Amino acid sequence: MPSLDQALRAALHNRQDLITELHQQGTDCYRLFHGSQEGAGGLTIDRYGEQLLVQTFHQPLSRDDLLAAHALICSHLNQPLLLVYNDRSQGNSRIDRTDPVYQAEPAALADLVGHEWGLNYRVRGRHAGQDPLLFLDLRNARGWIKAHSAGQSVLNLFAYTCGVGLSAAAGGAREVVNLDFAEGNLAVGRENGALNPQLAPMQFVQSDYFPAIRQLAGLPITARRGHKLPPYPRLEQRQFDLVLLDPPAWAKSAFGTVDLLRDYQSLLKPAILATADNGVLICCNNLAKVAMADWREQVLRCADKLGRPVRDCQVLPPAADFPSHDGQPPLKTLILQF
């Protein structure tokens, strides 16, 4: 087993061409060390603009190892980066905010700006949630959408901080609708929009996924057994030219349960119905235990049952800063052309 220093040096060497390419395309947000595949399980090191975000999920780093990794990366990139260390080895991957190993400087925790595909994104090393404000493994999908959204109506489901919507707006979409249950996520999406004032305004819908997508798809809304339907925004039935479906692994509400392992179809079916004829649905599954071949078959079978057979199905892998030794990365993305 190589030392962390050796593993990190190898990872930086392997990324050199990619980092050059990313900088040329206007991107300074990327993964520098993917520990599960590069020799240190449970450790990730990501760059977000001026910030270096180090996270541990299995056990904390020592202060010496943390500072040595920071110094090595700054030297390799020939740029000082503000260090934030989030130890998430406690229960439910929650950040240990007591910072027993390292306390970030105030400048590192201030509101910063990172860049991807030439767009500006809000960066915060710490915020009310647990995860970073931009998921880096979806960068290739955002790039694809930016390149294929001109003149399209775009629906961004489980929008989080609306990076997909921002990419669509930058690509010339005529309409962008971001849908997410959490107002805090959409608030960051609005910030991202404000950081790119040259783009057309986006729309934001705060709603549980199930009532929103079922209304758009023309399906009835039902509550989980024993639950009364809470209020929800009313939406008209309609279809979009380009739809992005990137759900969390699991979530439960009064309207239903998001469960990527046992019931992806309940998410997928209405998303297909909300996609226009000759439209595109990009769907994601981030469960490592789900094999691409099995999930792809399930997705195509669901479309066939709905009478919406897929004319073309393309696999979109994450970029090279998310290596996978077995060719089965946790994040799986399919581009479905109807």
Side-chain angles (χ1 to χ4, degrees):
M1 179 113 178
S3 68
L4 177 57
D5 180 78
Q6 289 174 315
L8 182 53
R9 287 179 186 274
L12 293 173
H13 173 77
N14 291 338
R15 282 167 174 74
Q16 191 54 55
D17 290 344
L18 174 65
I19 290 173
T20 299
E21 176 186 336
L22 292 174
H23 290 175
Q24 289 172 347
Q25 72 185 26
T27 295
D28 59 13
C29 296
Y30 43 79
R31 177 149 293 181
L32 288 160
F33 188 71
H34 193 53
S36 65
Q37 301 292 305
E38 296 184 292
L43 171 64
T44 62
I45 303 179
D46 298 320
R47 180 184 179 182
Y48 286 94
E50 299 175 57
Q51 180 191 96
L52 188 72
L53 177 62
V54 180
Q55 299 194 99
T56 44
F57 294 86
H58 295 170
Q59 59 187 23
L61 273 182
S62 72
R63 182 180 176 87
D64 287 347
D65 282 345
L66 175 67
L67 296 180
H70 179 226
L72 174 60
I73 289 169
C74 291
S75 175
H76 183 82
L77 296 177
N78 194 29
Q79 181 172 352
L81 295 174
L82 299 164
L83 177 61
V84 175
Y85 173 53
N86 289 339
D87 176 40
R88 301 174 61 177
S89 59
Q90 311 301 312
N92 297 319
S93 294
R94 301 190 71 81
I95 296 169
D96 184 351
R97 297 175 188 265
T98 65
D99 293 327
V101 175
Y102 177 85
Q103 187 168 17
E105 298 175 2
L109 297 176
D111 284 0
L112 301 172
V113 176
H115 308 89
E116 183 189 86
W117 298 105
L119 299 172
N120 302 321
Y121 286 89
R122 172 61 68 218
V123 171
R124 291 189 179 97
R126 294 278 177 86
H127 56 94
Q130 301 299 311
D131 294 317
L133 297 182
L134 185 67
F135 289 120
L136 300 179
D137 55 354
L138 201 64
R139 183 176 65 246
N140 277 358
R142 288 188 290 266
W144 192 97
I145 288 167
K146 184 171 182 284
H148 293 85
S149 54
Q152 306 290 294
S153 58
V154 178
L155 175 61
N156 181 20
L157 300 166
F158 298 100
Y160 191 43
T161 57
C162 308
V164 163
L166 195 71
S167 299
R174 60 180 169 83
E175 179 185 19
V176 177
V177 177
N178 297 291
L179 182 125
D180 198 272
F181 178 73
E183 173 55 35
N185 292 343
L186 296 179
V188 178
R190 292 186 178 93
E191 283 189 68
N192 286 334
L195 289 171
N196 297 272
Q198 76 281 10
L199 302 183
M202 300 182 289
Q203 299 174 47
F204 303 89
V205 178
Q206 182 187 1
S207 174
D208 185 282
Y209 174 76
F210 289 105
I213 194 62
R214 292 184 73 84
Q215 288 179 90
L216 293 171
L219 298 172
I221 297 171
T222 56
R224 284 175 46 229
R225 183 176 299 175
H227 288 74
K228 182 180 177 181
L229 280 176
Y232 56 87
R234 295 313 199 260
L235 302 172
E236 296 293 328
Q237 180 180 351
R238 61 165 298 189
Q239 293 181 320
F240 291 80
D241 302 316
L242 198 162
V243 177
L244 187 286
L245 175 63
D246 183 20
W250 192 91
K252 180 178 282 190
S253 76
F255 296 98
T257 300
V258 174
D259 188 341
L260 300 197
L261 181 63
R262 299 172 185 84
D263 191 15
Y264 196 92
Q265 293 94 321
S266 68
L267 309 173
L268 181 64
K269 176 182 175 181
I272 291 174
L273 295 175
T275 305
D277 290 339
N278 298 314
V280 173
L281 170 62
I282 303 176
C283 52
C284 304
N285 189 320
N286 58 30
L287 278 184
K289 65 179 68 175
V290 174
M292 169 62 87
D294 295 339
W295 177 61
R296 180 179 183 274
E297 180 183 353
Q298 180 186 82
V299 167
L300 297 178
R301 187 169 60 247
C302 181
D304 282 337
K305 286 183 177 180
L306 287 173
R308 297 290 307 279
V310 174
R311 292 194 292 112
D312 184 68
C313 178
Q314 175 186 347
V315 175
L316 184 65
D321 49 335
F322 286 82
S324 174
H325 294 322
D326 62 1
Q328 296 287 332
L331 176 64
K332 292 159 284 291
T333 303
L334 295 174
I335 302 174
L336 309 178
Q337 176 75 53
F338 292 99

